[in-house]
Amino acid sequence: MVEAVTLMHRARLIFQDGAERSVEVEAGQTVLEGALAVDLPVRYDCCSGSCGSCVVQCLDGQTVVDLTGKVPVNADELMAGLRPACLTRLNSDASFELPYSLGSAASAPSKHSAQIMELRRGAPSVALLTLKLDRAEDFVFQSGQYIRLAAPGVGEARAYSIASTTRELPLIELMIRLVPDGKMSRWLQEVAKVGDRVKLQAPLGAFGLDDRARRHVFIAGGTGLAPVLSMIRSLRGRGQPALLCFGCTRRQELFYELELAALVAEMPELEVRIAVMEGADGDLRAGTAVSLLQKEDFDAETVCYLCGPPPMVDAARKALTSHGVASQAIRAERFQPGG
Amino acid sequence: MIPVSRRLQLCEAGNVAPGGMLRVQPEGHDPILVCNVGGKIYAVDDECTHAIASLSEGRLQGNIVFCPMHGGSFDVCSGKAKSLPCKQALRTWPIEIADGKVYLLLKN
């Protein structure tokens, strides 16, 4: 007797606001393809395993992840149930939790034009860029999301997280790591000036606040500060306790110190700890952002947000796990300097 | 018959060999990608509808152009998106070939 083979499974998608949708995922199809086939507003960007925008938390079911190319999560994260929807196929019905609301106010990604309003250095290797969108009437983003910026003559567009909030629109603030020989880095240092016009695609990504959390812990390395700063700024007025652990490699690479001090003065519920790996003095601690964490920083209603280079994110996840923080209470965005 | 108010010269037809493509930026107009599919010329927008990328830097395989940024693809004959992350169709443009030159036909 030949056993009947099921060629189609169902993926149950549970959004942050509790909304649920069930989609058919055919054999060979990815969970993302199944969701997009019925036009669900799921977040995605590259569809090739590099951006991490479509990462979801698997709650149950048998999944197969294509590990042959780029994968935006590491082995620990796969073990913890994180799945890039663009690389995940089903061997059974399965359930997934998505880190944003189905009823999210964020706009669908679209292209925009903008003008440079301000360009300054935060540190020798950090450019702080403020853009003004030509048309922001229908543009809404969620704090934590990123844009793709295209500058004239630079070739490939690059992704940068937004450091400002929707309150500042039509202005958008970016923190850009300047890397040696990077085309965008060179353009920012040698060509770009106030008044120049750029194109961008936005909003992108699924990194964002968990509205169900009562306490927020942010761990940021370098320009990974941008999206968590947007999230912290968007918490203004809510009164929820928040902790930012911010780390830079060297004292002279530290940026945004004064602005963070001003934010703390404005938000008494916010605590900021800063560490540098070299040259610590005064209130600065020696070490990494992760080394600033203490066991007392977490309770059952805390959600942690990580943003920085992949080694920092990996180290932070390990540290949080050792402090007993559940995988579902950790959200991460990996920064790969794009040039 | 398309009511045509003006036409813009894009390139010499001979500049685009079968299987080839050429990015042209007419003054005051978004960049156009001229494609030669088996000897027939097509014109589409050069910018991918998904991200901000020039399709001319990708590759043309038959009638399918692949974006260099994320590998999404479009049918250059119909403009239809053929693979993710591209979902929105690419704009196609009517053209005319006269005296060995490719012209973009602009409607009123």
Side-chain angles (χ1 to χ4, degrees):
Chain A
M1 195 176 119
V2 179
E3 199 175 318
V5 177
T6 306
L7 292 176
M8 188 273 290
H9 298 292
R10 296 199 77 84
R12 187 164 67 110
L13 306 178
I14 305 161
F15 293 81
Q16 186 172 284
D17 53 0
E20 287 190 29
R21 294 290 184 273
S22 176
V23 299
E24 294 180 355
V25 181
E26 291 172 20
Q29 229 182 6
T30 63
V31 172
L32 180 65
E33 287 168 339
L36 291 178
V38 292
D39 288 328
L40 267 189
V42 291
R43 308 262 177 94
Y44 70 101
D45 186 9
C46 72
C47 291
S48 50
S50 54
C51 75
S53 295
C54 67
V55 172
V56 293
Q57 173 77 45
C58 182
L59 301 177
D60 57 56
Q62 291 172 27
T63 60
V64 180
V65 181
D66 181 355
L67 300 173
T68 53
K70 284 183 190 165
V71 183
V73 290
N74 65 21
D76 288 345
E77 291 167 325
L78 283 170
M79 282 294 289
L82 290 177
R83 298 285 181 271
C86 73
L87 302 177
T88 301
R89 294 176 172 80
L90 299 184
N91 271 348
S92 74
D93 289 354
S95 303
F96 301 93
E97 198 172 60
L98 283 64
Y100 49 89
S101 299
L102 178 63
S104 160
S107 320
S110 60
K111 294 176 185 175
H112 298 266
S113 52
Q115 192 172 21
I116 296 180
M117 299 303 285
E118 190 183 14
L119 174 59
R120 63 188 174 97
R121 286 294 174 86
S125 67
V126 178
L128 303 173
L129 178 64
T130 303
L131 304 175
K132 184 180 180 188
L133 293 178
D134 289 344
R135 290 181 55 85
E137 292 80 19
D138 304 319
F139 180 73
V140 182
F141 67 95
Q142 167 193 299
S143 282
Q145 288 192 288
Y146 63 90
I147 71 161
R148 180 171 289 115
L149 177 67
V154 173
E156 193 173 299
R158 313 262 185 221
Y160 300 107
S161 290
I162 304 172
S164 48
T165 71
T166 50
R167 279 189 240 186
E168 286 77 52
L169 284 171
L171 298 180
I172 285 183
E173 184 186 355
L174 307 174
M175 297 173 167
I176 300 179
R177 162 79 53 208
L178 301 171
V179 296
D181 302 324
K183 285 184 183 171
M184 185 67 83
S185 299
R186 193 174 303 135
W187 180 77
L188 283 165
Q189 292 174 91
E190 297 172 8
V191 182
K193 59 186 185 307
V194 170
D196 282 358
R197 302 198 57 77
V198 293
K199 285 171 75 173
L200 56 101
Q201 182 194 14
L204 296 162
F207 192 44
L209 283 175
D210 188 337
D211 292 328
R212 300 163 297 188
R214 297 286 175 86
R215 175 176 160 78
H216 308 270
V217 172
F218 302 93
I219 303 156
T223 51
L225 178 65
V228 304
L229 187 61
S230 177
M231 289 192 237
I232 292 168
R233 285 168 161 165
S234 75
L235 285 172
R236 276 183 292 208
R238 287 203 215 172
Q240 293 179 338
L243 165 66
L244 166 64
C245 295
F246 175 43
C248 287
T249 50
R250 290 186 298 276
R251 178 73 185 86
Q252 58 268 36
E253 291 301 330
L254 181 61
F255 62 100
Y256 233 70
E257 256 182 302
L258 292 176
E259 291 89 342
L260 288 175
L263 195 58
V264 170
E266 198 187 317
M267 290 177 72
E269 66 276 27
L270 172 67
E271 180 189 354
V272 175
R273 299 175 194 158
I274 304 177
V276 290
M277 292 168 76
E278 292 172 26
D281 57 14
D283 289 339
L284 297 178
R285 308 212 203 152
T288 63
V290 179
S291 71
L292 296 167
L293 294 170
Q294 295 163 11
K295 195 163 181 57
E296 307 75 54
D297 292 332
F298 314 100
D299 62 27
E301 294 183 314
T302 302
V303 169
C304 302
Y305 310 86
L306 323 176
C307 188
M312 189 221 82
V313 172
D314 295 345
R317 186 177 288 278
K318 278 198 168 64
L320 294 175
T321 304
S322 74
H323 285 307
V325 178
S327 165
Q328 282 91 332
I330 303 173
R331 298 182 169 204
E333 179 91 316
R334 290 183 152 75
F335 262 34
Q336 298 278 17
Chain B
M1 198 54 190
I2 302 164
V4 175
S5 63
R6 62 190 176 115
R7 59 182 201 175
L8 284 177
Q9 186 181 323
L10 292 176
C11 59
E12 300 281 336
N15 289 354
V16 194
M21 51 185 181
L22 180 71
R23 179 184 190 270
V24 184
Q25 172 131 36
E27 204 178 318
H29 200 282
D30 288 336
I32 298 290
L33 186 67
V34 183
C35 304
N36 186 328
V37 179
K40 190 164 180 201
I41 303 282
Y42 294 89
V44 292
D45 272 353
D46 177 57
E47 188 172 289
C48 178
T49 60
H50 170 243
I52 305 172
S54 168
L55 293 170
S56 68
E57 292 167 18
R59 65 191 159 87
L60 181 66
Q61 210 169 355
N63 56 330
I64 306 295
V65 65
F66 291 86
C67 178
M69 188 176 271
H70 298 124
S73 62
F74 301 92
D75 182 332
V76 297
C77 306
S78 65
K80 199 175 168 191
K82 299 301 283 184
S83 63
L84 288 174
C86 305
K87 285 194 82 182
Q88 188 190 331
L90 198 59
R91 183 169 184 176
T92 59
W93 291 91
I95 56 159
E96 178 182 85
I97 297 175
D99 305 326
K101 294 180 178 64
V102 181
Y103 294 94
L104 193 68
L105 304 180
L106 296 174
K107 284 185 240 178
N108 273 318

